[in-house]
Amino acid sequence: VAAEQDNLRAALRWAISHDAVEAALRIATGIWRFWWQRGSLREGSDWLETALARRDESSLAIQTKALRAVGVLAMGLNEYERARQHLEQALEVARRCGEMYDCAAAMTNLGLLLREQGDFQAACVYLEQAIILNGRTADPRTVKFPMIILAELHARLGNIAQAGTLYEECLRLNRDIGDAEGTANALYGIGLVAHARDEQEIA
């Protein structure tokens, strides 16, 4: 692992020192999950910020991915204002270059961020938009993640009917693609909704 990290650092240093901005952004964006899994969120974030300082020299498509990556890392570091700034920029750039998947991904991340900040209503708006965009791809794997987060938020807000409908749809999607973990999470949510309905009837 240490050797892999050293190789990645060397590749990034070379790209940045040789003014290969696009290459540096592609490397840093492609490996942000590596830094996340190693618990090196700060290092991954610093590399991305360094490369993004000259992002205008790279394509819009790679800019939006890099901005989203550093936004997610900032969220993991509990630097919510910085995370929001980068994620909103990622969404803006994705819209400019017409990258529908990246638009939806940025919206999902913004929904997660706002949930962490306790702004559930605003989070719901972003997640609903992400579901609509992802629905156009005909790939259920892109829909189920924002959908189950939205279901959870509706349950927290007391919108039991909406939460139930979303959890049922999540269950169908996860079963269709054979996602055991997703199926279990949806079933758990359905159980919570059933319990909430029972409490409402008793009250």
Side-chain angles (χ1 to χ4, degrees):
V1 174
E4 289 179 0
Q5 290 179 328
D6 288 342
N7 289 337
L8 292 172
R9 293 183 186 113
L12 285 164
R13 286 194 196 96
W14 184 92
I16 291 169
S17 65
H18 286 74
D19 295 328
V21 178
E22 178 98 7
L25 279 173
R26 287 187 181 279
I27 295 168
T29 301
I31 62 173
W32 74 265
R33 288 182 178 83
F34 174 86
W35 300 117
W36 181 286
Q37 291 168 355
R38 298 296 184 278
S40 302
L41 280 70
R42 175 64 62 194
E43 180 171 7
S45 178
D46 288 347
W47 281 116
L48 279 160
E49 291 280 17
T50 299
L52 279 165
R54 293 170 58 184
R55 66 186 175 97
D56 289 342
E57 299 174 35
S58 61
S59 66
L60 292 178
I62 191 61
Q63 285 183 43
T64 187
K65 290 178 172 60
L67 286 164
R68 189 169 71 85
V70 75
V72 173
L73 290 174
M75 184 163 46
L77 291 164
N78 297 324
E79 297 174 359
Y80 294 140
E81 289 306 313
R82 187 166 71 95
R84 184 165 185 169
Q85 178 184 6
H86 284 307
L87 290 172
E88 287 177 344
Q89 289 176 343
L91 178 57
E92 177 189 354
V93 175
R95 283 172 169 160
R96 282 170 57 195
C97 61
E99 294 287 344
M100 185 170 62
Y101 172 81
D102 289 318
C103 280
M107 288 174 179
T108 299
N109 292 137
L110 281 164
L112 281 168
L113 174 61
L114 290 165
R115 182 191 67 174
E116 292 301 307
Q117 294 183 298
D119 192 347
F120 294 168
Q121 296 288 357
C124 285
V125 172
Y126 275 117
L127 291 166
E128 287 165 358
Q129 292 174 345
I131 290 167
I132 291 170
L133 280 181
N134 280 328
R136 297 174 187 169
T137 68
D139 184 351
R141 290 170 295 186
T142 63
V143 176
K144 66 189 187 71
F145 183 53
M147 185 174 288
I148 201 160
I149 302 167
L150 182 61
E152 175 205 333
L153 288 176
H154 275 303
R156 288 195 190 187
L157 290 166
N159 303 327
I160 303 304
Q162 293 96 318
T165 299
L166 288 164
Y167 276 127
E168 291 286 354
E169 180 62 11
C170 285
L171 179 62
R172 185 189 67 78
L173 290 173
N174 281 290
R175 281 177 169 169
D176 284 350
I177 63 175
D179 186 331
E181 182 179 358
T183 297
N185 290 335
L187 286 169
Y188 178 73
I190 289 169
L192 292 178
V193 167
H195 180 68
R197 282 176 175 154
D198 288 342
E199 288 190 336
Q200 284 183 348
E201 291 175 3
I202 293 171

